Structures are given as C-alpha cells and as structure tokens.
Amino acid sequence: MHHFHAVVWIDHREAKIFHVGLTGTDQLDLHPTFETRHIHHKANEIGSGHIHEDKGLMKDVADAVSDAGEILIIGPAQAKTELATYLREHTHIGSRIVGVEAVDHPTDGQIVAYAKKHFKIGTLRGDAPASR
C-alpha cells in the first residue's frame, strides 16, 4: 500500500517508520547495524561521549521513505536532526521534509495519531461541528 505521508520516529537505537493515509498505516522498524551501548564521558578523555549516527541506518530510513511525498521526522535528542541533515545532504528527498520535531518516547499508536494530526489526515471539511 502506498501513502503520500510518512512519519519517522528515530533515536540512536531504532527508527520507526509509518506511512499513513486515509486507508490505513504501514509500519517498518529498523535498527542500527552496530550494537548500541551506553557511553559515559569522563573528564580528561578524548571525545564527546555521544553516539554518532549510523550511516547504514540513515540510508535504510532514506530508502524506506523514498516514495513519500511529505516526511515528518520526530524523536528525542539529536538523531532526528542528524537524519534530516543526512536526507538533505545525501539524497534527493530532503526537500520533502515538512517538519523536524521533538517527541520523547511515544507508543506506536501515539506516533500515528501525531502524524495524522500533523498531516490533517482523517479530518474532512464536513467534519467540523455546525455552529448554531
């Protein structure tokens, strides 16, 4: 099933991709190719202590949303902005990004509801209550 809208929830451990439309939702879960571990930065050590994006995961996400007309990227921390930067700099679909927003750790249902509200899916013009 093809849907025009896609939402990606991403952090450094996984990416959840939902293609949403009036006729339903398709979901794909992707994981990085490296094993994620907690990193603690100590004084006098080289490096920031942050996990950097997995280019393989970024490419897999790009492939998964390549047919979407509009892409919303959400998630905690910096993975969402790293994905947006990757899509803008390394693919032809960066111009389809319509938003990059902070969203903590919602359930799958909450991600879909967030996307439908953002894309105004399921709200028909005649659905507004009549004023009296």
Side-chain angles (χ1 to χ4, degrees):
M1 188 181 314
H2 172 72
H3 298 295
F4 186 75
H5 300 98
V7 60
V8 178
W9 180 92
I10 189 168
D11 69 5
H12 289 287
R13 290 175 295 198
E14 68 181 319
K16 294 183 177 193
I17 301 156
F18 298 86
H19 288 84
V20 294
L22 288 173
T23 58
T25 303
D26 296 325
Q27 179 178 351
L28 175 64
D29 294 303
L30 300 172
H31 299 275
T33 55
F34 63 87
E35 185 175 324
T36 304
R37 63 190 190 289
H38 293 286
I39 295 178
H40 300 281
H41 182 66
K42 296 179 183 176
N44 300 322
E45 287 187 0
I46 297 173
S48 67
H50 296 287
I51 300 172
H52 295 285
E53 75 273 10
D54 176 6
K55 298 289 187 200
L57 179 61
M58 299 291 172
K59 183 182 180 322
D60 291 345
V61 171
D63 291 344
V65 298
S66 65
D67 62 345
E70 291 185 340
I71 304 164
L72 172 63
I73 303 172
I74 62 175
Q78 294 180 314
K80 64 187 175 299
T81 54
E82 291 169 358
L83 175 61
T85 300
Y86 177 87
L87 294 178
R88 289 179 178 126
E89 292 179 357
H90 300 287
T91 72
H92 65 283
I93 60 173
S95 62
R96 299 183 203 164
I97 298 170
V98 296
V100 178
E101 301 177 12
V103 175
D104 196 18
H105 288 83
T107 65
D108 293 351
Q110 290 171 324
I111 294 170
V112 171
Y114 191 91
K116 286 184 174 185
K117 182 177 180 182
H118 179 87
F119 293 123
K120 297 176 177 57
I121 295 173
T123 305
L124 302 176
R125 291 182 188 144
D127 285 348
S131 58
R132 294 181 185 205

